[in-house]
Amino acid sequence: MSNQSPDWPLWEVFVRSRQGLSHKHVGSLHASDATMAIANARDVYTRRQEGVSIWVIPAEAISASSPADKDILFDPANDKVYRHPTFYKLPDEVKNM
Amino acid sequence: MTKAQHIDWLLSLADDALILGQRLSEWCGHAPALEEDIALSNIALDLIGQSRALLSHAGRLEGAGRDEDRLAFFRSDREYRNLLLVELPNGHFGDTIARQFFYDQFALIRYTHLAQQTFDSEVAAIATKALKEVRYHAAHSAEWMIRLGDGTELSKARIQESVDRLWPFTGECFQEHTILDAAIASGAMPDRSRAQNTWNESVGAVLNQATLTKPEGSWKQSGGRDGLHTEHLSYMLAEMQVLPRLHPEAKW
Amino acid sequence: MDENERGMEPYLCGESFHAMDLNQRFEDYIAADQKIEAKDWMPDEYRKTLIRQISQHAHSEIIGMLPEGNWITRAPSLKRKAILLAKVQDEAGHGLYLYSAAETLGANRDDLMDALIDGRAKYSSIFNYPTLSWADMGAIGWLVDGAAIMNQVPLCKCSYGPYARAMVRVCKEESFHQRQGFQIMLNLSEGTDEQRAMAQDSLNRWWWPSLMMFGPNDESSTHNEQSMRWKIKRFSNDELRQRFVDMTIPQVELLGLTVPDQDLKWNESTGHYEMGPIEWQEFFDVIAGNGPCNKERIAARKKAHRDGDWVREAASAYAQKMNAKATSNQTHAA
């Protein structure tokens, strides 16, 4: 019976769809180890030429920011518009900057 | 190689892939894990794809108007040229993996040569594509051999038993045979003893890593290349061919 | 609440941690068509409803592999064999995407699988019907997958992010399924008399079960209202069923076939087809486990899982050995 040994752990899968793009989270799967996880990810998530590179990460190894902290983590950036280039008005004479 | 030999040789390549693909497709929906279900189906799809390309090529070369389906569905077991190994029933997952492992290691050597030979450029093109697939299959089956061999006591016992039982069917891969000998002489197939040595080495290395014992026996079951098969093939073909045989004039 | 949240609590005192505030924030999100993500706060009932719906959907994909898998080895051409195999394989993939989505809600795939093989979980009743001819591969792709797509496309916009994203992937792949099914029907309908009869027979058997796939009539559906409000479900059963019939009948005509519904007629004033009454007793009988293949399907699933126990255990045991080896190597190196 499967309860006698631990179930295959969960892995999060990240796929680079093209050279030059970063890896993007596509989903998860179960596998006994990293080698099998990559093989399975290839079969599960790139059957239609969706990728050129795969990362797998044990789901339990991911630390995430808490959704409840969304406000304190991300709202303070709202009023710092001076970080964006569009904040700065340039004289018309300056064409490219 | 005569033209007839050339066609027979192509059929031997095509039939190995088709029959093994057909066997593997029986797993669809019944594998030990969903992920493995998808993996086995992928391998089956690759094999069926290889067989289609090879059968079409054989049909064109023959010039008698037989296409891939005509060759697949309207030949009897006695006209099939595949290895006995690939027609053996799936058994349990370990049996399927051991069968696949032995075949993949053989296919790897064969396709590596086929991709480079100049006797038949169409085959070279098919093999170049197939080689990428077969490399993946070989990695998959070897990884599983290692996990089942070096897994639990139960899995070790089971996979060792599969290895022992299938072993006599591996010799046929390298057996002397008129047509294959002609193919070797034409440079179309790899040198027999060198191929067998390579196979022995790579199979031995994986079995070793899998903590399994390589069987010693040298007895070979053979006959597949001449159309003398196990009892299993006729049943398999009866199932596979039923619709086209029942409706010979139909298109699907 | 997980460790992180607990650790940050002092900063949030008196702010948004009140249960009512959380609920309000959740409702606001839904109202604003924002997605709820895995770790966001959500009402228990929303979580439960989603786990139930997503896992049922996943089970349907997995059980759905069986009736079609039944014909892979008998596909009448190598091309058809490859297409069907790729299609059934996709269903395993869809099951997997969906189990993944359910797992983001805290469900465990092995538990869900156990519920399925113990007969505690539901899945789409349509897969309890037998596949009796090759034409059924056409009818399933065309009608069953067609009905499924109709149900599923709105789910790509469902309020729960991981489910919505899984559905985007599923729907993209499903459209090939429906087309290959229709193509099978088209070939049969243009084929020999026997092939045409095969196609008609298959349509006769699959038509009503396909209409039942949209679920009971709106007035007798239990989960409709709350799910609509939460944007887990976006159209009612009857709306989707009507849309399916309106879309499918012209295709039936194109094939030169007829649906087994004597009451079917075009209503000029509403611009919709009117259909005859559905035999709901049959639907409920099949759900209750009395369909022609309920027991076979579950038995097949159970056998696959149990036969695979030793394989999965072997892989786990090997992984443990390798981890232990890696750890002891590190210790020695240090």
Side-chain angles (χ1 to χ4, degrees):
Chain A
M1 298 282 284
S2 51
N3 351 352
Q4 282 167 359
S5 75
D7 298 324
W8 286 358
L10 188 67
W11 301 75
E12 297 297 337
V13 181
F14 299 77
V15 170
R16 183 200 297 287
S17 57
R18 256 188 306 126
Q19 287 302 105
L21 297 180
S22 53
H23 286 76
K24 193 175 158 210
H25 183 241
V26 293
S28 63
L29 49 75
H30 290 261
S32 55
D33 54 62
T35 308
M36 292 310 239
I38 288 179
N40 292 339
R42 175 257 193 191
D43 289 333
V44 174
Y45 289 106
T46 66
R47 291 198 302 287
R48 289 176 169 79
Q49 302 146 328
E50 292 98 333
V52 294
S53 161
I54 294 170
W55 286 350
V56 293
I57 297 164
E60 59 172 27
I62 292 179
S63 306
S65 65
S66 165
D69 300 341
K70 226 179 264 174
D71 304 350
I72 60 166
L73 289 178
F74 309 115
D75 285 0
N78 285 352
D79 63 354
K80 299 180 177 66
V81 283
Y82 44 77
R83 284 187 175 128
H84 300 278
T86 45
F87 177 75
Y88 303 92
K89 302 263 177 301
L90 291 179
D92 289 346
E93 291 76 12
V94 184
K95 294 270 193 274
N96 295 310
M97 181 179 283
Chain B
M1 236 193 312
T2 64
K3 185 173 150 187
Q5 286 175 325
H6 190 170
I7 293 165
D8 252 3
W9 168 62
L10 290 175
L11 290 178
S12 77
L13 302 174
D15 292 348
D16 282 353
L18 176 58
I19 296 300
L20 188 56
Q22 170 81 359
R23 273 288 182 236
L24 280 184
S25 75
E26 294 170 13
W27 271 103
C28 190
H30 307 278
L34 266 183
E35 286 82 357
E36 200 48 36
D37 218 303
I38 298 176
L40 290 177
S41 299
N42 252 4
I43 297 170
L45 279 171
D46 286 341
L47 291 168
I48 292 167
Q50 292 166 14
S51 76
R52 291 179 63 193
L54 290 161
L55 286 174
S56 300
H57 177 41
R60 278 194 298 272
L61 186 69
E62 185 189 46
R66 293 203 285 181
D67 61 6
E68 58 179 56
D69 288 330
R70 198 75 208 169
L71 285 167
F73 294 97
F74 291 90
R75 274 185 303 149
S76 72
D77 57 319
R78 294 299 289 265
E79 294 165 283
Y80 263 80
R81 293 281 169 263
N82 57 282
L83 297 166
L84 301 181
L85 177 70
V86 296
E87 73 198 39
L88 296 177
N90 284 337
H92 59 59
F93 184 73
D95 293 329
T96 294
I97 286 297
R99 181 185 67 196
Q100 193 67 35
F101 166 64
F102 289 141
Y103 175 77
D104 288 342
Q105 294 299 327
F106 166 61
L108 201 53
I109 297 165
R110 189 169 58 178
Y111 277 122
T112 303
H113 182 88
L114 292 179
Q116 290 160 1
Q117 51 78 37
T118 51
F119 175 77
D120 184 329
S121 60
E122 175 104 24
V123 168
I126 295 169
T128 303
K129 179 175 176 291
L131 191 55
K132 290 182 198 162
E133 299 166 349
V134 170
R135 280 204 186 106
Y136 185 81
H137 304 171
H140 173 265
S141 56
E143 293 290 352
W144 269 114
M145 288 302 290
I146 292 163
R147 276 155 189 76
L148 296 178
D150 195 11
T152 62
E153 263 177 57
L154 174 68
S155 70
K156 188 192 180 80
R158 284 198 177 160
I159 192 70
Q160 182 69 58
E161 202 265 332
S162 310
V163 165
D164 294 345
R165 196 154 30 81
L166 292 173
W167 187 255
F169 291 93
T170 59
E172 195 181 10
C173 300
F174 307 102
Q175 211 181 19
E176 292 176 15
H177 186 273
T178 339
I179 288 153
L180 297 178
D181 289 349
I184 294 168
S186 315
M189 286 285 277
D191 175 73
R192 180 180 301 108
S193 62
R194 238 187 329 183
Q196 186 157 17
N197 287 342
T198 312
W199 186 87
N200 264 313
E201 273 169 35
S202 40
V203 164
V206 174
L207 290 179
N208 193 37
Q209 206 189 333
T211 69
L212 293 168
T213 311
K214 193 173 163 197
E216 293 294 330
S218 58
W219 175 253
K220 293 174 192 164
Q221 297 291 354
S222 62
R225 299 294 191 212
D226 290 317
L228 287 166
H229 291 274
T230 64
E231 289 177 346
H232 308 292
L233 185 66
S234 168
Y235 280 106
M236 183 206 251
L237 293 181
E239 180 176 336
M240 183 174 102
Q241 298 176 335
V242 61
L243 278 173
R245 297 259 185 170
L246 201 55
H247 307 275
E249 71 292 356
K251 288 195 183 66
W252 305 93
Chain C
M1 213 188 293
D2 63 23
E3 282 304 317
N4 273 342
E5 284 172 296
R6 256 202 295 276
M8 298 302 282
E9 213 168 345
Y11 295 98
L12 297 163
C13 270
E15 214 223 304
S16 59
F17 247 68
H18 204 266
M20 274 188 30
D21 290 343
L22 285 172
N23 197 39
Q24 191 52 52
R25 185 199 282 205
F26 171 83
E27 297 286 350
D28 292 349
Y29 256 66
I30 299 272
D33 260 333
Q34 292 249 35
K35 297 283 182 235
I36 304 298
E37 292 296 341
K39 300 208 164 172
D40 289 344
W41 185 90
M42 61 187 84
D44 277 348
E45 203 45 42
Y46 177 82
R47 186 185 298 274
K48 271 191 227 152
T49 305
L50 275 170
I51 291 179
R52 189 187 61 231
Q53 182 175 331
I54 298 172
S55 61
Q56 279 181 15
H57 189 167
H59 295 331
S60 302
E61 297 281 356
I62 301 310
I63 295 290
M65 295 171 75
L66 298 170
E68 287 177 286
N70 183 33
W71 283 87
I72 291 173
T73 55
R74 288 177 291 169
S77 74
L78 295 182
K79 185 176 90 177
R80 289 278 169 224
K81 188 187 293 294
I83 292 172
L84 184 61
L85 184 53
K87 194 214 153 184
V88 181
Q89 180 196 40
D90 270 353
E91 275 148 24
H94 297 174
L96 213 145
Y97 308 155
L98 289 160
Y99 284 126
S100 289
E103 283 183 293
T104 64
L105 291 157
N108 172 299
R109 189 170 96 192
D110 290 271
D111 295 342
L112 297 174
M113 197 62 88
D114 283 341
L116 175 64
I117 62 183
D118 293 346
R120 283 178 283 130
K122 282 186 190 156
Y123 55 87
S124 182
S125 280
I126 193 94
F127 301 119
N128 291 319
Y129 291 89
T131 50
L132 302 177
S133 78
W134 171 253
D136 290 1
M137 300 304 100
I140 289 182
W142 171 44
L143 298 175
V144 176
D145 292 334
I149 292 172
M150 205 113 269
N151 272 327
Q152 289 168 1
V153 166
L155 293 175
C156 299
K157 292 189 178 166
C158 124
S159 61
Y160 185 58
Y163 189 24
R165 289 192 290 275
M167 289 316 301
V168 168
R169 222 183 160 85
V170 169
C171 287
K172 234 190 253 171
E173 300 184 354
E174 284 283 352
S175 52
F176 129 62
H177 296 181
Q178 195 188 9
R179 284 183 191 195
Q180 66 88 34
F182 185 73
Q183 200 192 47
I184 289 175
M185 293 304 271
L186 194 61
N187 281 6
L188 293 175
S189 70
E190 291 168 348
T192 63
D193 291 349
E194 281 165 318
Q195 285 179 302
R196 228 180 350 266
M198 208 186 270
Q200 181 62 57
D201 166 65
S202 185
L203 173 58
N204 292 348
R205 284 180 291 110
W206 292 94
W207 177 250
W208 291 111
S210 299
L211 295 189
M212 292 177 199
M213 278 179 74
F214 295 94
N217 290 125
D218 291 348
E219 61 266 27
S220 48
S221 176
T222 40
H223 304 303
N224 252 338
E225 209 176 302
Q226 178 63 282
S227 290
M228 298 272 277
R229 215 164 52 78
W230 276 337
K231 297 182 181 169
I232 295 175
K233 197 175 161 75
R234 310 205 58 142
F235 297 96
S236 80
N237 295 352
D238 285 335
E239 271 177 284
L240 289 171
R241 185 168 16 244
Q242 185 65 55
R243 206 183 284 182
F244 175 74
V245 171
D246 290 345
M247 189 193 75
T248 309
I249 295 299
Q251 296 166 3
V252 174
E253 284 163 3
L254 186 76
L255 293 171
L257 302 174
T258 49
V259 295
D261 178 357
Q262 305 219 316
D263 300 327
L264 186 99
K265 58 173 181 285
W266 173 251
N267 184 324
E268 193 66 50
S269 60
T270 60
H272 292 295
Y273 284 95
E274 286 172 10
M275 54 195 120
I278 293 175
E279 288 278 340
W280 288 111
Q281 194 49 48
E282 176 185 324
F283 177 75
F284 293 115
D285 286 345
V286 178
I287 285 191
N290 298 320
C293 298
N294 295 53
K295 295 196 173 55
E296 276 172 77
R297 301 288 185 241
I298 294 296
R301 196 57 243 153
K302 190 171 191 163
K303 184 174 187 311
H305 198 67
R306 290 287 166 255
D307 287 354
D309 284 343
W310 71 279
V311 174
R312 295 191 306 277
E313 278 165 23
S316 295
Y318 176 79
Q320 275 170 3
K321 282 186 209 177
M322 290 303 113
N323 283 340
K325 216 180 258 180
T327 316
S328 95
N329 282 349
Q330 272 172 7
T331 323
H332 287 299

